[in-house]
Amino acid sequence: QRIIDYEEVLFKRYRAVIEQKINGVRIRCHGDYHLGQVLYTGNDFVITDFEGEPARALSERRLKRSPLRDVAGMIRSFDYAAQTALRNENVGAVLRSSNSTALTGWSRFWYANIAASFLRGYLEVAEPAGLLPDDPHALQVVLDCYLLDKAVYELGYELNNRPDWLAVPAEGLLQLLDG
């Protein structure tokens, strides 16, 4: 119900992307970029599976988009990692209910910091290449739309495939809508 209550806010945030001129370059992106697609070799990172999101049509996967789409995918993946560690006893330590509130706060802190660090590093490398909008507000609008789009997609995915995981994208979407 809380998500449904945000319907107008969601549409307003999506409309922001068409209400201004946004420059930048569209490229063929990974399309399904998340932590599960990145392998650490001990010396370097290798990115795998460039076929895009398997549930999307091939014609949609081939569309050129802002590279911020993949950035949003990785940022959402950090949120999944943080929330999964708290919710899944097979991933991390079993939580005592007395520790849950404190660990949730630390989890959100970790997520905010790792997402900011990733974004900062990405922008340092990508901005000089001229791929991204040069206006910081426009960049924020595009990234915001891709983050929302990814969270809405995740909501549908979990609803159809893993309903017991629905709380992960629902919480993420609510955090995004709350600002």
Side-chain angles (χ1 to χ4, degrees):
Q1 183 58 50
R2 285 182 55 212
I3 291 171
I4 292 169
D5 292 342
Y6 274 105
E7 181 179 25
E8 274 307 308
V9 173
L10 181 64
F11 288 142
K12 181 180 179 186
R13 301 269 285 281
Y14 276 134
R15 278 191 302 271
V17 81
I18 60 171
E19 292 175 345
Q20 64 184 17
K21 182 168 175 43
I22 298 175
N23 66 349
V25 176
R26 293 184 304 162
I27 62 173
R28 286 214 185 359
C29 297
H30 185 282
D32 190 25
Y33 190 52
H34 56 79
L35 287 169
Q37 307 288 22
V38 179
L39 304 174
Y40 181 61
T41 66
N43 298 323
D44 200 1
F45 292 93
V46 177
I47 301 169
T48 64
D49 293 338
F50 282 86
E51 75 274 3
E53 181 59 55
R56 297 191 192 265
L58 182 58
S59 59
E60 187 179 349
R61 288 186 261 164
R62 294 184 65 216
L63 291 174
K64 292 181 179 181
R65 302 175 191 271
S66 168
L68 290 171
R69 182 172 190 259
D70 281 343
V71 172
M74 185 57 75
I75 289 172
R76 288 292 311 133
S77 184
F78 295 140
D79 186 35
Y80 255 75
Q83 289 196 51
T84 300
L86 292 176
R87 297 172 187 273
N88 187 345
E89 63 189 47
N90 296 322
V91 175
V94 177
L95 300 178
R96 292 186 203 123
S97 58
S98 60
N99 294 338
S100 180
T101 302
L103 290 175
T104 297
W106 280 110
S107 169
R108 287 183 180 150
F109 177 78
W110 177 85
Y111 163 63
N113 280 283
I114 198 73
S117 181
F118 174 78
L119 181 59
R120 189 172 30 258
Y122 185 88
L123 293 176
E124 284 175 11
V125 173
E127 281 180 332
L131 295 173
L132 305 175
D134 52 15
D135 173 26
H137 177 70
L139 188 140
Q140 181 62 53
V141 166
V142 173
L143 181 58
D144 188 43
C145 281
Y146 278 128
L147 286 166
L148 289 169
D149 193 52
K150 185 69 175 165
V152 168
Y153 174 83
E154 292 164 356
L155 202 60
Y157 178 86
E158 300 302 3
L159 190 59
N160 291 322
N161 297 288
R162 299 184 298 194
D164 52 321
W165 283 59
L166 195 55
V168 175
E171 182 63 32
L173 183 57
L174 288 169
Q175 286 178 15
L176 290 167
L177 292 170
D178 280 338

